[in-house]
Amino acid sequence: MKEYKRVLTIAGSDSGGGAGIQADLKTFSACGCFGTSAITAITAQNTLGVRAIHSVPVEILQAQVLAVIEDIGVDAIKIGMLHSAELIAAVAVVLREADVENIVLDPVMVATSGDPLIEESAVDAMKKLLFPLVKVITPNIPEAEILLGQKIEGEDLAQVAQALAEEFSVSVLAKAGHQQGDLFVDVLYSSVTEKITRFPTTRVDTQNTHGTGCSLSSAIASFLARGEDLETAIASASQYLHGALVAGAEYKIGAGHGPVHHFYRFW
């Protein structure tokens, strides 16, 4: 019998379908994996912004994760929106028991619209409880600023990635999407090899960028599940996301930041 490559997303639900759990599951499928999910929060949002956030009870979140791991199993895990310190602690407990190697953490803190998606107390909990358990974190510039506690203005992202990696003992993919220019370069600093790897990408002229961070981290988890090493998985994920952005730019959906086209390779 054939076996799927299995990827679990632990993240919030996006009613608009462009980010969160919905984007993760689409990405897993598009990248050749079987996706499962544990919902951390329900959000009311669309392309214009986030209207409300309702956290899932801790025991329900833990039950979702355990139900998936104990029966279906996982080859990789992507962690996205964790709204509160309580939820972060609950996820950390389950992950320590699960002993999964391929865990990608997207430290979701601010939506594309600028709306905050995390409580202040949750940032410290994330640093202390989750960072030691994961293979790589994927902060964008605003998230890196929150994690470092300082503004990032003109710094080489390699320095940012290295500073985060050394402070928290975790590999860091610092994302350049908030920088200006036609070419931007995401930078990986590996805490294992102490090596810097750059991933250049040409900018796509589009406002359909909702869920790009979710989709990239989910693609990385997918390619890790398929057996690629971290650097190769990031390169594969970057190529996938760029294609999704290019294809998504041709569509109009909603009045704000629309989604990328996750299934551009198929239709």
Side-chain angles (χ1 to χ4, degrees):
M1 296 293 290
K2 294 181 179 180
E3 293 187 353
Y4 294 107
K5 297 301 183 182
R6 307 151 300 175
V7 190
L8 166 66
T9 171
I10 304 173
S13 171
D14 172 10
S15 55
I21 288 283
Q22 288 80 356
D24 297 341
L25 293 174
K26 292 172 186 177
T27 301
F28 297 158
S29 295
C31 293
C33 294
F34 181 84
T36 55
S37 62
I39 297 176
T40 63
I42 300 168
T43 70
Q45 63 176 298
N46 52 31
T47 65
L48 295 173
V50 181
R51 296 184 179 183
I53 300 173
H54 177 69
S55 293
V56 169
V58 166
E59 61 273 15
I60 298 299
L61 172 58
Q62 289 182 316
Q64 291 176 85
V65 176
L66 290 173
V68 170
I69 291 175
E70 291 172 359
D71 176 45
I72 297 169
V74 295
D75 297 298
I77 296 175
K78 174 266 172 78
I79 302 174
M81 177 185 171
L82 292 170
H83 181 55
S84 67
E86 184 182 26
L87 288 175
I88 289 169
V91 169
V93 168
V94 177
L95 292 184
R96 281 194 292 267
E97 295 176 359
D99 191 27
V100 178
E101 179 182 355
N102 294 320
I103 303 178
V104 180
L105 171 60
D106 183 16
V108 179
M109 297 176 184
V110 182
T112 303
S113 59
D115 295 295
L117 294 173
I118 189 171
E119 298 172 356
E120 288 187 19
S121 61
V123 178
D124 285 337
M126 184 180 293
K127 295 176 184 177
K128 295 174 183 177
L129 300 177
L130 286 185
F131 284 7
L133 302 177
V134 308
K135 181 182 285 284
V136 64
I137 64 172
T138 61
N140 58 28
I141 291 175
E143 291 157 353
E145 289 178 336
I146 292 171
L147 293 172
L148 288 173
Q150 65 183 56
K151 291 292 292 182
I152 298 171
E153 295 179 350
E155 287 92 338
D156 184 347
L157 278 188
Q159 295 176 326
V160 174
Q162 183 172 350
L164 286 167
E166 291 177 346
E167 180 171 352
F168 300 113
S169 299
V170 63
S171 295
V172 178
L173 177 68
K175 298 181 296 190
H178 286 75
Q179 292 182 334
Q180 302 300 312
D182 294 330
L183 179 73
F184 61 89
V185 183
D186 295 341
V187 179
L188 170 70
Y189 183 88
S190 171
S191 63
V192 177
T193 65
E194 299 183 350
K195 175 184 174 184
I196 293 171
T197 308
R198 291 176 169 84
F199 304 89
T201 308
T202 54
R203 184 175 300 278
V204 180
D205 183 16
T206 178
Q207 70 171 5
N208 292 337
T209 57
H210 184 52
T212 50
C214 302
S215 301
L216 179 64
S217 56
S218 295
I220 295 170
S222 298
F223 290 112
L224 287 172
R226 293 177 57 176
E228 295 185 358
D229 61 39
L230 181 58
E231 289 81 2
T232 307
I234 292 172
S236 298
S238 180
Q239 182 182 42
Y240 162 75
L241 180 61
H242 185 262
L245 278 163
V246 170
E250 299 179 2
Y251 287 82
K252 173 65 177 176
I253 183 170
H257 292 283
V260 303
H261 186 354
H262 292 94
F263 294 109
Y264 69 95
R265 290 173 175 169
F266 306 95
W267 53 271

